[in-house]
Amino acid sequence: MKLRTSSGKRRTLLLSAATAGVVVAASIAVVGTAEAASTLGASAAQTGRYFGAAIAAGRLGDATYTRILNSEFNAVTPENEMKWDATEPARGSFNYNGGDRILNQGVAMGAKVRGHALLWHAQQPGWAQSLTGSTLRSAAINHVTQVATHYKGKIYAWDVVNEAFADGGSGARRDSNLQRTGNDWIEAAFRAARAADPNAKLCYNDYNTDGINAKSTGIYTMVRDFKSRGVPIDCVGFQSHLGTTIDSTYQANLQRFADLGVDVQITELDVQQGGNQANIYASVTRACLAVARCTGITVWGIRDSDSWRSDNPLLFDGSGNKKAAYTSVLNALNAGGNTNPTTPPVTPPVTTSPPPQTGSGCTATVSLNSWNGGYVATVRVTAGSSAVNGWTVNVTLPSGGAVTGTWSATNSGTTGTVSFRSVDYNRQVPAGGSTEFGFQGTGAGPGATPTCTVG
Ligand code: G2I
């Protein structure tokens, strides 16, 4: 049966049940002229939002799990597979097996993929835990650059930094090895992520921020500062691991961040069963729908048995049956809300070197994303009127600066004039075509245009 209305209003309809001949009263919320959708993802999509789940690669062989995943959700987040310990188990040695499985699952579903998480004080590989100071800073920024580059163009939003603020009333940063590298570590991470994947939305993500409180206010102050100084940040994630109550300022808190000019997302929602679970789920959903810049909701797992918690906090029971909480979320989604506008990420200020001299067969330009004490450089190599088979780019660094990491090229030397040579997969550049490589460095970035030679 098709249920349509020409007005956008809620209607109460009387439906006669053909089979039993009885009259059944049903309250049906109709959004615009659309029919009420019957899955979480489709319902969220009616207002331009997504409804996602954190998923684990190790569960993708479970038929019930993947059936629910494929039918209900239109966004995925890797529960563990893109974290630092998983992606860089040894320094400079990257493993994308698990992360790629999640990505491929998301692509197959036509879903958005949220990347989680580039830097976090927890789940660091052992080698990073033992580093400090500039060595750790450099390794961390290199990690951001490498992982964001691997997934370039494929991630809807990255949790660039996770859980960097302290609990309690201080509103201050959490102490951690990363924090001890200097207070600017967060902005350095965001700049590196933007340079590596300009189209991903870049989020700061945290918990116990589910209302206006000292911790969320500390984050609010940081985001406001970032926006005022042009540090590239696009979104804030509110994990929303909830108990038996929801803060009365939950929605107002989302709204005050949105008013700073960032998207907000519910990133890890789960709610203790036994209290008011269905109502709390519905309240969170309605709060997101009421905030135009709340772009979507992710639950932290599918079935209760998949959860990191033991208090049955999810929308499906251990057998995969829909719970009351599921129905309350679906109804809340179908009741509609503020349509989510499409908000492209803001392009950060990039300084580009002057146009190159026409050299012997190739030219190179460099774009810098700099912060106090370091930078990420992206170098574009362009072939002249003939195809190039192998290239070398020489970059001169200011004194005191050094290259600390390179991708898509190999470098000889790290200070003074550094030579970057093509690697197998980018040595051939067609006439007029171009390719890119990058490096990260300490100090100020190169001031002069690099030179490019063929061979
Ligand atoms: O703790 C809940 C979440 C809080 N916010 C950040 C999220 O990344 C975090 O997720 C959880 C995962 O759900 C757990 O699955 O993060 C935990 C680690 O901090 C994850 O647990 C770990 C176990 O501690 C490891 O022993 C295990 O090897 O999961 C690993 C992979 O199964």
Side-chain angles (χ1 to χ4, degrees):
M1 174 182 299
K2 299 206 172 202
L3 299 168
R4 293 179 186 274
T5 175
S6 54
S7 80
K9 291 183 182 152
R10 252 172 173 276
R11 293 269 170 102
T12 300
L13 304 179
L14 286 182
L15 308 176
S16 60
T19 46
V22 294
V23 175
V24 180
S27 175
I28 298 176
V30 182
V31 182
T33 55
E35 296 170 55
S38 60
T39 67
L40 300 168
S43 303
Q46 293 177 136
T47 59
R49 294 178 173 81
Y50 63 85
F51 203 98
I55 59 172
R59 295 184 196 272
L60 292 174
D62 178 324
T64 305
Y65 184 84
T66 49
R67 174 181 59 74
I68 300 170
L69 173 60
N70 285 318
S71 57
E72 291 288 346
F73 297 97
N74 58 5
V76 295
T77 305
E79 190 172 351
N80 289 295
E81 291 79 351
M82 290 188 191
K83 291 173 180 173
W84 198 351
D85 60 349
T87 50
E88 195 180 1
R91 187 171 180 185
S93 163
F94 291 83
N95 182 336
Y96 296 112
N97 293 340
D100 287 357
R101 286 176 70 189
I102 304 292
L103 176 75
N104 292 338
Q105 172 69 29
V107 169
M109 293 164 59
K112 287 186 160 66
V113 180
R114 292 195 82 261
H116 174 82
L118 291 171
L119 292 180
W120 186 21
H121 65 273
Q123 277 179 288
Q124 292 182 3
W127 63 266
Q129 291 175 35
S130 65
L131 298 183
T132 58
S134 59
T135 319
L136 173 61
R137 170 67 70 90
S138 178
I141 297 301
N142 185 54
H143 178 75
V144 171
T145 299
Q146 299 291 337
V147 177
T149 299
H150 176 80
Y151 289 112
K152 180 178 180 178
K154 297 171 177 152
I155 299 293
Y156 161 68
W158 265 112
D159 290 332
V160 178
V161 169
N162 192 42
E163 301 178 7
F165 276 73
D167 290 313
S170 71
R173 299 281 183 90
R174 168 197 298 279
D175 178 53
S176 72
N177 58 348
L178 289 165
Q179 182 62 29
R180 289 191 292 269
T181 69
N183 205 50
D184 64 340
W185 73 277
I186 297 182
E187 59 197 81
F190 275 82
R191 288 193 159 106
R194 179 68 101 227
D197 187 356
N199 291 319
K201 294 196 183 215
L202 305 181
C203 302
Y204 176 81
N205 188 50
D206 216 325
Y207 68 94
N208 283 353
T209 52
D210 313 304
I212 296 176
N213 57 38
K215 186 172 178 179
S216 64
T217 298
I219 296 162
Y220 177 85
T221 305
M222 177 186 77
V223 173
R224 189 176 56 189
D225 170 55
F226 280 11
K227 295 299 284 186
S228 75
R229 291 190 294 113
V231 177
I233 184 167
D234 307 305
C235 39
V236 176
F238 299 83
Q239 293 185 11
S240 304
H241 296 293
L242 301 179
T244 55
T245 57
I246 180 167
D247 193 297
S248 61
T249 60
Y250 187 93
Q251 180 182 320
N253 189 47
L254 299 182
Q255 187 65 57
R256 71 171 174 156
F257 278 86
D259 291 344
L260 290 176
V262 288
D263 288 346
V264 294
Q265 300 168 359
I266 314 304
T267 51
E268 304 185 13
L269 180 61
D270 49 18
V271 181
Q272 183 178 333
Q273 183 165 283
N276 239 342
Q277 189 179 52
N279 287 335
I280 292 174
Y281 263 110
S283 298
V284 170
T285 306
R286 282 193 296 265
C288 179
L289 287 162
V291 176
R293 290 198 75 150
C294 183
T295 59
I297 299 174
T298 297
V299 286
W300 204 244
I302 295 180
R303 300 164 300 192
D304 286 336
S305 50
D306 303 317
S307 176
W308 68 294
R309 293 167 63 157
S310 54
D311 53 3
N312 298 320
L314 293 172
L315 300 178
F316 295 84
D317 71 18
S319 305
N321 300 310
K322 294 169 180 171
K323 294 166 55 178
Y326 170 94
T327 309
S328 74
V329 169
L330 188 68
N331 289 344
L333 290 170
N334 277 328
N338 270 330
T339 298
N340 182 242
T342 306
T343 45
V346 179
T347 309
V350 169
T351 51
T352 305
S353 58
Q357 310 293 317
T358 309
S360 50
C362 61
T363 55
T365 53
V366 60
S367 299
L368 290 180
N369 263 275
S370 305
W371 60 91
N372 191 13
Y375 60 89
V376 169
T378 305
V379 183
R380 173 162 287 265
V381 178
T382 304
S385 51
S386 308
V388 161
N389 186 10
W391 44 262
T392 301
V393 170
N394 284 338
V395 177
T396 301
L397 304 184
S399 69
V403 170
T404 53
T406 302
W407 59 97
S408 300
T410 54
N411 58 302
S412 55
T414 56
T415 58
T417 298
V418 182
S419 281
F420 296 89
R421 267 194 69 70
S422 52
V423 288
D424 278 350
Y425 59 85
N426 64 11
R427 73 172 67 251
Q428 294 186 325
V429 187
S434 59
T435 187
E436 279 185 353
F437 72 95
F439 60 96
Q440 174 200 335
T442 56
T449 303
T451 60
C452 184
T453 49
V454 173

